[in-house]
Amino acid sequence: MVDRCPEGFRIASSLHEAEPKIEGDKLLLKLHYGGCPLWTGFAVVPGQGSPLPFYLCEDIEHDRCELAGHKTWEFAIGEALKQSGATAVTYATPPAH
């Protein structure tokens, strides 16, 4: 779990068509899947509250190759869910500074 986007990532303006789902202590998002890069192209930053707000960070270098469809990405957010007492999530980008 990260508290801000990692270096080299940017905040995704939306989830595109991803429908966030919680399964146990994981957030599941169906997102783009690049065919060439073999590293994780996304990170999730959870906030506080219920439903638990979160935003998605995307690696700027991740989409260099042709996108090969979609994949369900898993993000461990159990600690944030527990701290907030949340059972649902909502996508919310942070305000611009």
Side-chain angles (χ1 to χ4, degrees):
M1 198 162 49
V2 295
D3 62 356
R4 63 181 174 79
C5 286
E7 188 173 328
F9 283 62
R10 64 179 170 222
I11 296 171
S13 59
S14 72
L15 286 179
H16 309 289
E17 298 152 19
E19 193 69 36
K21 295 181 181 160
I22 296 175
E23 191 172 283
D25 65 350
K26 296 192 180 350
L27 171 65
L28 306 179
L29 295 173
K30 188 174 181 182
L31 300 166
H32 298 295
Y33 179 67
C36 297
L38 299 177
W39 64 87
T40 301
F42 302 98
V44 163
V45 181
Q48 294 180 344
S50 184
L52 182 70
F54 74 95
Y55 62 92
L56 181 70
C57 303
E58 53 192 3
D59 186 336
I60 295 165
E61 300 291 318
H62 189 251
D63 292 340
R64 283 189 166 193
C65 300
E66 182 179 340
L67 292 176
H70 293 83
K71 161 183 167 174
T72 299
W73 296 82
E74 294 183 2
F75 303 95
I77 61 166
E79 190 61 34
L81 288 169
K82 187 169 38 169
Q83 287 178 0
S84 292
T87 57
V89 294
T90 185
Y91 192 71
T93 58
H97 286 67

